[in-house]
């Protein structure tokens, strides 16, 4: 089979990671969570006691950071040097850090080659904010996955609460709205739907219905027959 790339973009909390991972498993290809890379950069900046909103400080950390994706048992794991930070990057503080560092052109350039190289060598489902518009503009299938801010915030709140986090729903919603604004209005590679992407709004859908909606779009292109 030729290499097939599926790009899934959308705002924070739209369920991209969970849905993209399920779709990748359904078609027997790898899943690449590019947001995890930005989260790892953000966590690295925070650990050094620096300001993720200061481009100069963020760029300085790129000189020594070592970040990689490793696929272990078919699952993506994220490493800073030799430390598996796959869980650490899912903490609440990593979310805004990721949004801040992703607005720094040097960070996007730093990660661009890694993402392109993975997609060139592997059939994959890759999700993020600018996959269909910038990273993989020639992807055979593009999907823009979204939901209302309130629904996305509730999903993220439930996820954080299950992990023992103390954030309130109001705090999560406020951060969600702020991140939406930052991602959509940054100067470099802003969040937007590619002209040839299929829009899927999961506001009124269950997780299973959302996964099936994405699978239906992919199957409709008949690449995996």
């Amino acid at each position: 089979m030729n290499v097939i790339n599926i790009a899934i973009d959308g705002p924070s909390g739209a369920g991209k990671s969970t849905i993209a991972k399920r779709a990748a498993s359904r078609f027997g290809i790898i899943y690449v969570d590019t947001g995890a890379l930005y989260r790892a950069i953000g966590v690295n900046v925070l650990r050094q006691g620096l300001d993720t909103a200061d481009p100069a400080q963020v760029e300085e950390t790129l000189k020594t950071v070592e970040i990689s994706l490793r696929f272990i048992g078919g699952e993506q794991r994220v490493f800073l040097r030799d430390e598996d930070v796959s869980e650490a990057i899912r903490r609440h503080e990593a979310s805004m850090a990721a949004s801040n560092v992703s607005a720094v052109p040097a960070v996007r350039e730093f990660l661009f080659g890694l993402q392109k190289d993975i997609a060139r060598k592997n059939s994959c489902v890759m999700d993020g904010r600018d996959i269909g518009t910038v990273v993989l503009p020639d992807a055979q299938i593009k999907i823009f996955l979204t939901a209302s801010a309130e629904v996305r915030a509730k999903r993220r709140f439930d996820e954080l609460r299950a992990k023992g986090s103390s954030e309130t729903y109001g705090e999560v919603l406020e951060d969600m709205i702020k991140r939406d604004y930052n991602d959509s209005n940054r100067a470099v590679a802003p969040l937007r739907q590619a002209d040839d992407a299929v829009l899927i709004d999961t506001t009124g859908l269950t997780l299973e219905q959302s996964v099936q909606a994405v699978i239906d779009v992919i199957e409709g292109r008949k690449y995996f027959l």
Side-chain angles (χ1 to χ4, degrees), residues 157-201:
F157 171 70
D158 289 343
E159 177 184 311
L160 291 170
R161 185 172 57 181
K163 295 179 180 179
S165 178
S166 61
E167 280 82 18
T168 67
Y169 168 76
E171 290 172 333
V172 175
L173 177 59
E174 182 179 359
D175 279 354
M176 188 76 67
I177 293 172
K178 183 177 180 180
R179 185 165 187 186
D180 284 352
Y181 180 84
N182 289 347
D183 290 347
S184 299
N185 290 278
R186 63 187 179 217
V188 179
L191 169 68
R192 69 175 181 83
Q193 180 180 339
D195 293 339
D196 53 347
V198 176
L199 175 65
I200 298 178
D201 189 327

Side-chain angles (χ1 to χ4, degrees), residues 20-205:
K21 187 182 300 183
R22 293 270 294 272
S25 176
R26 166 67 176 78
F27 296 103
I29 59 180
I30 68 171
Y31 161 62
V32 183
D33 175 8
T34 63
L37 298 172
Y38 290 98
R39 285 172 175 266
I41 295 288
V43 166
N44 185 59
V45 175
L46 290 174
R47 287 182 173 183
Q48 295 184 46
L50 301 177
D51 184 359
T52 59
D54 185 326
Q57 292 187 38
V58 173
E59 286 186 39
E60 186 65 24
T61 68
L62 298 179
K63 297 177 181 178
T64 57
V65 69
E66 296 176 19
I67 183 172
S68 62
L69 293 180
R70 303 178 192 177
F71 295 92
I72 301 174
E75 180 182 359
Q76 173 186 284
R77 306 297 292 180
V78 186
F79 284 77
L80 275 176
R81 299 174 184 84
D82 292 323
E83 178 190 356
D84 186 341
V85 294
S86 303
E87 302 305 323
I89 63 173
R90 296 302 168 189
R91 293 173 186 153
H92 182 64
E93 61 270 19
S95 180
M96 189 54 66
S99 183
N100 287 341
V101 302
S102 67
V104 179
V107 172
R108 307 198 75 83
E109 182 177 352
F110 180 81
L111 295 175
F112 184 76
L114 173 60
Q115 297 168 29
K116 293 280 286 188
D117 188 57
I118 293 173
R120 183 172 59 251
K121 296 176 180 177
N122 303 274
S123 288
C124 65
V125 179
M126 184 178 291
D127 77 338
R129 301 290 189 281
D130 62 348
I131 308 305
T133 54
V134 177
V135 180
L136 301 178
D138 296 322
Q140 291 92 334
I141 302 171
K142 299 179 186 178
I143 295 170
F144 193 86
L145 197 65
T146 190
S148 71
E150 291 76 14
V151 166
R152 289 184 285 117
K154 180 62 166 58
R155 292 170 181 170
R156 181 61 54 82
F157 171 70
D158 289 343
E159 177 184 311
L160 291 170
R161 185 172 57 181
K163 295 179 180 179
S165 178
S166 61
E167 280 82 18
T168 67
Y169 168 76
E171 290 172 333
V172 175
L173 177 59
E174 182 179 359
D175 279 354
M176 188 76 67
I177 293 172
K178 183 177 180 180
R179 185 165 187 186
D180 284 352
Y181 180 84
N182 289 347
D183 290 347
S184 299
N185 290 278
R186 63 187 179 217
V188 179
L191 169 68
R192 69 175 181 83
Q193 180 180 339
D195 293 339
D196 53 347
V198 176
L199 175 65
I200 298 178
D201 189 327
T202 68
T203 297
L205 303 181

